[in-house]
Amino acid sequence: MKLGIMQPYFLPYIGYFQLLNAVDKYVIYDNIQYTKKGWINRNRILQNGKDLMITIPLEKDSDYLDIKDRCLSVGFDKKKLLNQIRESYRKAPYFDMLMPLIERIVNYDDTNLFHYIDNSIREICKYLDIKTEIIISSTLDIDHSLKGQDKVIAICKELKATDYYNAIGGQELYSPEEFKKENINLYFISSNPIEYKQFANEFVPWLSILDVMMFNSLENIHKILDNYKLI
């Protein structure tokens, strides 16, 4: 059984969905600490040939709270975000097909940060026909005080995983020998270079999945989902 584990990210890049699509079960962390400078509540889209950062504003709170304990700001202007996306992509080939999905995601009526992002990931998986089972980490019967590699191995054992897939950035974080001791094979997914036409501009890589969906048919996205190396 192939397992992946990741934090929740808002409209993450294609590599996130390559990992999600490659495994049988996928655990999303809700009970780990929110980090300000990561990609949990922000991402990049294309605007006028350059990348533009979009952000879900959060209520001011302790920096030590878990993701599941953070809330969207009462001042979050969803209409403004949707207008940014419309202006950026209104001439994209799949804009009309995709915009109702984006409106559902942005207008989702839940102020909890984790619930809001979890919903967006599940909505995109439905659109992309990714059928991987998604599990919320806090529902698992493990010692949740564990950190890093120890927590990952505990989750693998709880779900009876034989293979653990991780993003390529985790190579320095995990020891194949430690996984092997638990009869778990450790693999890393490395995305191959991906390029597609973005209007008439020079290509800007690794933007939000939203960008991939705006410029590519579902058939082509399925090919991109398989365009990686397993290390």
Side-chain angles (χ1 to χ4, degrees), residues 5 31 39-40 42 60 63 73 77 157 192 200-201 227:
I5 307 172
N31 56 347
W39 296 95
I40 294 169
R42 60 182 190 157
K60 293 196 185 312
D63 290 338
S73 169
D77 191 340
K157 289 168 71 175
N192 291 323
N201 304 312
N227 188 17

Side-chain angles (χ1 to χ4, degrees), residues 40-200:
I40 294 169
N41 60 312
R42 60 182 190 157
N43 222 295
R44 300 182 308 139
I45 62 172
L46 185 72
Q47 188 175 83
N48 299 324
K50 298 179 181 178
D51 64 318
L52 170 75
M53 187 72 74
I54 56 172
T55 303
I56 304 170
L58 303 181
E59 285 292 288
K60 293 196 185 312
D61 217 323
S62 167
D63 290 338
Y64 298 100
L65 288 179
D66 285 347
I67 296 169
K68 65 183 178 65
D69 298 318
R70 297 300 303 264
C71 292
L72 310 190
S73 169
V74 293
F76 178 23
D77 191 340
K78 296 179 178 180
K79 187 174 180 180
K80 180 181 176 183
L81 176 56
L82 285 169
N83 284 339
Q84 279 183 308
I85 294 169
R86 283 193 194 97
E87 284 307 303
S88 295
Y89 291 106
R90 58 192 171 85
K91 294 183 179 179
Y94 296 94
F95 174 83
D96 290 336
M97 182 189 301
L98 198 59
M99 208 55 211
L101 168 67
I102 301 304
E103 289 172 354
R104 282 202 310 277
I105 286 171
V106 173
N107 288 325
Y108 185 61
D109 191 20
D110 196 314
T111 60
N112 178 275
L113 175 62
F114 177 77
H115 294 163
Y116 189 81
I117 298 177
D118 179 60
N119 174 72
S120 69
I121 291 167
R122 292 173 193 267
E123 284 275 14
I124 292 169
C125 283
K126 282 184 206 169
Y127 178 85
L128 299 179
D129 197 31
I130 296 174
K131 294 183 167 37
T132 303
E133 180 185 354
I134 297 175
I135 300 165
I136 298 171
S137 63
S138 63
T139 65
L140 296 172
D141 185 18
I142 64 164
D143 177 357
H144 289 283
S145 68
L146 293 170
K147 305 290 184 186
Q149 178 173 274
D150 292 336
K151 190 168 189 175
V152 168
I153 289 174
I155 293 172
C156 286
K157 289 168 71 175
E158 172 65 15
L159 294 174
K160 298 179 171 52
T162 57
D163 303 276
Y164 175 61
Y165 283 30
N166 198 79
I168 192 67
Q171 274 188 305
E172 295 178 3
L173 302 176
Y174 301 119
S175 161
E177 292 76 22
E178 291 302 313
F179 280 81
K180 204 69 180 173
K181 285 179 189 174
E182 304 294 342
N183 295 314
I184 303 163
N185 300 308
L186 176 62
Y187 298 100
F188 296 94
I189 281 185
S190 176
S191 300
N192 291 323
I194 295 164
E195 189 165 333
Y196 48 86
K197 185 174 173 151
Q198 293 169 327
F199 302 125

